[in-house]
Amino acid sequence: MKYIVMITIILLFGLNGCGGGGGSSSGNGGTGLDVTSNGPAEIEMQEGKTYTVYPGDKIVKTTDNAEVTIVHIDGHPESSVTLIAGDAKIIRK
């Protein structure tokens, strides 16, 4: 299990996926999402808060000391991500 978490973190921080399609919403609707009609939604992560991520979403470190915990259950498409230290953001496809 430890290796799965480490591999997932490496994949999330080390590889760049291809870009996703743009959203059609022009506002964030109070969700904390930065949504534009020309690109994906971005969520600035808050330390200690757990977020749900889905296939195609990316986590991007915005500081070198960023650390996250990822919990994934086999057979489920989503994972839970918690920012432990530093700054990071989630980019929704």
Side-chain angles (χ1 to χ4, degrees), residues 20-27 34-41:
S24 61
S25 177
S26 61
D34 178 15
V35 181
T36 63
S37 60
N38 296 326

Side-chain angles (χ1 to χ4, degrees), residues 3-84:
Y3 294 110
I4 293 173
V5 171
M6 289 187 339
I7 290 170
T8 302
I9 290 172
I10 291 169
L11 289 174
L12 289 172
F13 286 119
L15 300 177
N16 290 328
C18 60
S24 61
S25 177
S26 61
N28 69 13
T31 63
L33 298 176
D34 178 15
V35 181
T36 63
S37 60
N38 296 326
E42 293 185 8
I43 302 169
E44 293 292 330
M45 297 180 72
Q46 297 176 10
E47 196 169 312
K49 184 175 178 183
T50 301
Y51 298 86
T52 302
V53 293
Y54 301 92
D57 292 350
K58 292 190 287 185
I59 299 172
V60 178
K61 297 186 338 178
T62 54
T63 59
D64 288 336
N65 67 334
E67 293 180 36
V68 297
T69 299
I70 301 170
V71 177
H72 180 77
I73 299 172
D74 288 339
H76 293 269
E78 71 278 349
S79 298
S80 297
V81 179
T82 305
L83 180 64
I84 303 301

Side-chain angles (χ1 to χ4, degrees), residues 81-92:
V81 179
T82 305
L83 180 64
I84 303 301
D87 295 313
K89 62 184 173 182
I90 298 170
I91 301 177
R92 300 263 187 226

